[in-house]
Amino acid sequence: MAALAAAYSTMDMGGYLASDTVQTLGTDEEFSFLPNADPASLVEQFQNSNSVDNRIKFHSGTTTLGFKFKHGVIIAVDSRATAGSYIASQTVKKVIEINPYLLGTMAGGAADCSFWERLLAKQCRIYQLRNRERISVAAASKILSNMVYQYKGMGLSMGTMVCGWDKRGPGLYYVDSDGQRTTNYMFSVGSGSTYAYGVMDTGYKYEMSVEEAYDLGRKAIMHAAHRDAMSGGVVNLYHMQKDGWVKVSQTDVSQMYYQSLEEKK
Amino acid sequence: MFQSRSEYDRGVNVFSPEGRIFQVEYAIEAIKLGSTAVGVQTKEGVCLAVERRITSPLMIPTSIEKIVEIDDHIGCAMSGLIADSRILIDHARVEAQNHWFTYNEKMSVESVTQSVSNLALSFGEYDRKSMSRPFGVAILTAGVDENGDSVLLHMDPSGTYLKYGAKAIGAGSEGAQATLEEQYHKSMTLDEGIKLCLNVLKQVMEEKISSTNIEVGICKKEDGQKPGKFHLMGKETIDGLLSAL
């Protein structure tokens, strides 16, 4: 893997993976690395280390979910940040408001997600000014995916959902730092994603009403937060509508759980 | 004025003995061939109006874009070699977004103009990115900054930019400027400013003024210390204003 990265780093692929500097998607910006630095092999060294002591694994302790339905797209996220077993924060904003009609979610490295999605916001705005129309969700997610692909293997950790409403209707794309970019009607990302999928798959119907969809999103995060130690805090719920997104609610996860117990009685 | 063509007027980077760069001055002359553009600044906001100059009935008027948006709160009108302005406009847009990206604030109108002027000045440097000659276009930049101040700036091919209360550029600029000097005053409302722009254009345009052969852009001040909102005026609104003139 390191040999492969080294081989690519000396080829001039028109700006892709050039050895000293990397161009971010046709903008004039370049990140400058130290000469002879090789971030990819450094990362690989620590991620696949034989000694357990210095192995660094990137965790994405979070639960984020999104699903399309008849009346748009629902995005629900938790708000807990962990550093090992320490809960660093219960009030993290894991939904990034790219612009009034595009949302991005955060899973993995918080800095990675917010930085690249801010860069995405800048590119989307320039697109809109140059082409006199809003960027499509497909194009926006492709920009993000292409940007991070240039740093593949160098230790970026980002699992995000790009969500919006364009000429083709509601859009939901999953983009991650491994280079994956796929679209589907439902995604959940993070350490609590399996729990969220279970709840969502049980209750999902395309023709759901808006209130039912809000409930489903909140419940799925609540159950994930209940069982996954790395998820918790509050559920931030957003609804992507035709003219843009609205922030629906912010509900404390533990309060929701005790309320659900009450309702069962 | 330029009957005496000397040996100093060919080089883009050559000073004459009197200290003039002729190519830049000739570029400024090129603006006088362009269609007229007028800008008026008031406390409530800024107004820009340009003549589209439709040279053929087969031309589709809406494809002529002489007032463009740089960001939510800034717009630009140009006169001269319009193709040259496209590079400057794109640069301004990217700079404004870069500023937002880095500082999380709207770039001020003057800073945007300064970055455009930097580009306009970097001609003849013979690297991939710069032009081999001066840009043959003058630009009126209008906007309302984050602190609520409304600003109108004029930039010419020499890269010089100055603030104005009211300014006209292009073919009819001499007559237009004279009228502006007579009729403009600092305490105008935005509506009065728009009327002034339209009246001045009507006066200097050869064709009869209509909503198809002009473009009007306004940057309105919002209440309090907030950046303004720039938008192009719709056809119906322009029709209404023209009929009231």
Side-chain angles (χ1 to χ4, degrees):
Chain A
M1 164 83 195
L4 200 67
Y8 274 115
S9 71
T10 51
M11 277 166 68
D12 178 18
M13 292 168 75
Y16 274 67
L17 297 174
S19 57
D20 289 321
T21 58
V22 181
Q23 252 196 355
T24 49
L25 67 89
T27 62
D28 285 337
E29 294 158 41
E30 292 177 339
F31 278 140
S32 43
F33 293 115
L34 292 171
N36 305 316
D38 188 3
S41 67
L42 254 180
V43 168
E44 193 238 331
Q45 213 179 347
F46 287 107
Q47 276 191 320
N48 299 332
S49 168
N50 288 319
S51 152
V52 181
D53 285 333
N54 62 358
R55 193 184 309 175
I56 297 179
K57 262 218 172 106
F58 298 114
H59 294 285
S60 32
T62 197
T63 313
T64 62
L65 65 86
F67 59 85
K68 284 197 239 186
F69 73 117
K70 191 175 180 193
H71 302 284
V73 196
I74 298 292
I75 298 277
V77 298
D78 78 310
S79 66
R80 178 176 288 185
T82 47
S85 59
Y86 171 67
I87 297 179
S89 170
Q90 292 269 66
T91 54
V92 178
K93 294 260 169 331
K94 296 188 188 179
V95 172
I96 292 156
E97 297 160 5
I98 296 171
N99 62 42
Y101 47 92
L102 272 178
L103 287 175
T105 60
M106 188 197 288
D112 286 339
C113 289
S114 49
F115 179 83
W116 291 105
E117 289 183 21
R118 192 175 174 83
L119 212 47
L120 175 63
K122 187 183 91 160
Q123 289 304 126
C124 288
R125 179 66 179 127
I126 292 177
Y127 177 100
Q128 189 187 2
L129 285 165
R130 285 176 175 158
N131 302 88
R132 280 182 283 173
E133 66 170 10
R134 284 185 191 166
I135 193 170
S136 66
V137 190
S141 60
K142 192 71 176 171
I143 289 180
L144 183 62
S145 167
N146 288 339
M147 283 198 288
V148 295
Y149 183 70
Q150 290 187 316
Y151 297 91
K152 187 174 164 72
M154 296 190 199
L156 284 185
S157 166
M158 186 191 81
T160 183
M161 293 180 285
V162 178
C163 151
W165 193 313
D166 57 29
K167 283 193 281 205
R168 296 176 202 151
L172 183 64
Y173 283 80
Y174 167 72
V175 176
D176 76 14
S177 43
D178 294 325
Q180 200 180 354
R181 173 182 165 268
T182 46
T183 187
N184 203 346
Y185 70 95
M186 180 191 287
F187 283 114
S188 179
V189 185
S191 55
S193 59
T194 45
Y195 308 108
Y197 272 129
V199 173
M200 274 202 291
D201 285 332
T202 312
Y204 177 83
K205 274 200 268 292
Y206 181 78
E207 295 83 17
M208 278 190 290
S209 74
V210 171
E211 278 305 316
E212 285 173 338
Y214 290 170
D215 263 341
L216 185 64
R218 275 190 287 251
K219 250 194 347 179
I221 296 285
M222 183 204 85
H223 284 284
H226 181 61
R227 287 290 175 183
D228 176 30
M230 316 248 267
S231 302
V234 298
V235 184
N236 282 314
L237 189 68
Y238 286 74
H239 181 185
M240 179 61 69
Q241 297 167 339
K242 191 160 187 285
D243 304 313
W245 53 262
V246 288
K247 181 163 183 186
V248 178
S249 65
Q250 189 174 7
T251 340
D252 186 287
V253 146
S254 16
Q255 275 179 11
M256 269 186 83
Y257 179 71
Y258 291 120
Q259 214 169 11
S260 73
L261 286 181
E262 287 291 314
E263 282 158 19
K264 274 196 208 152
K265 284 184 190 158
Chain B
M1 188 182 166
F2 296 111
Q3 295 99 338
S4 54
R5 278 188 61 229
S6 52
E7 316 95 69
Y8 301 104
D9 65 357
R10 279 307 168 84
V12 129
N13 42 18
V14 174
F15 275 100
S16 78
E18 309 96 62
R20 299 157 74 172
I21 303 180
F22 281 108
Q23 280 301 308
V24 173
E25 294 189 19
Y26 296 162
I28 296 173
E29 279 300 298
I31 314 301
K32 298 194 184 136
L33 299 167
S35 55
T36 317
V38 183
V40 168
Q41 179 257 342
T42 72
K43 285 206 178 66
E44 293 177 359
V46 200
C47 170
L48 293 168
V50 271
E51 171 200 359
R52 266 189 176 136
R53 201 183 271 174
I54 302 165
T55 49
S56 154
L58 294 171
M59 215 189 251
I60 296 176
T62 46
S63 71
I64 304 175
E65 221 194 332
K66 292 186 180 168
I67 300 187
V68 293
E69 184 187 338
I70 302 293
D71 199 356
D72 297 326
H73 64 305
I74 305 180
C76 257
M78 49 273 217
S79 176
L81 302 173
I82 298 296
D84 284 5
S85 70
R86 302 295 179 211
I87 304 178
L88 297 172
I89 297 303
D90 198 69
H91 181 87
R93 286 171 169 165
V94 172
E95 282 297 300
Q97 289 314 302
N98 284 341
H99 186 96
W100 169 81
F101 180 81
T102 314
Y103 303 105
N104 201 30
E105 64 177 22
K106 294 271 180 208
M107 199 171 190
S108 72
V109 186
E110 186 163 348
S111 303
V112 171
T113 310
Q114 186 175 43
S115 80
V116 173
S117 124
N118 288 341
L119 191 68
L121 279 169
S122 63
F123 54 83
E125 274 166 35
Y126 308 117
D127 69 18
R128 269 178 54 233
K129 290 184 186 164
S130 61
M131 283 267 273
S132 56
R133 57 168 174 80
F135 285 89
V137 65
I139 293 184
L140 287 174
T141 316
V144 179
D145 288 332
E146 268 198 329
N147 58 10
D149 290 339
S150 61
V151 180
L152 174 68
L153 282 149
H154 164 255
M155 196 201 77
D156 67 18
S158 69
T160 318
Y161 62 91
L162 291 164
K163 276 192 194 159
Y164 280 86
K167 179 82 173 136
I169 52 177
S173 59
E174 274 176 54
Q177 196 70 26
T179 314
L180 286 172
E181 279 175 27
E182 282 168 31
Q183 296 188 11
Y184 173 77
H185 57 92
K186 282 205 168 66
S187 48
M188 274 184 139
T189 64
L190 184 57
D191 287 331
E192 289 172 343
I194 299 170
K195 268 208 192 115
L196 177 57
C197 280
L198 293 174
N199 268 318
V200 164
L201 261 192
K202 185 174 173 191
Q203 188 190 316
V204 298
M205 269 173 73
E206 286 176 12
E207 309 277 314
K208 184 169 186 291
I209 196 170
S210 78
S211 55
T212 39
N213 62 11
I214 63 166
E215 267 182 287
V216 183
I218 311 185
C219 191
K220 214 170 174 181
K221 181 175 151 60
E222 303 278 295
D223 291 324
Q225 286 207 339
K226 270 193 264 171
K229 289 245 156 52
F230 177 81
H231 66 94
L232 283 151
M233 232 185 216
K235 194 171 177 299
E236 295 79 30
T237 328
I238 300 179
D239 273 324
L241 286 166
L242 287 175
S243 55
L245 278 183

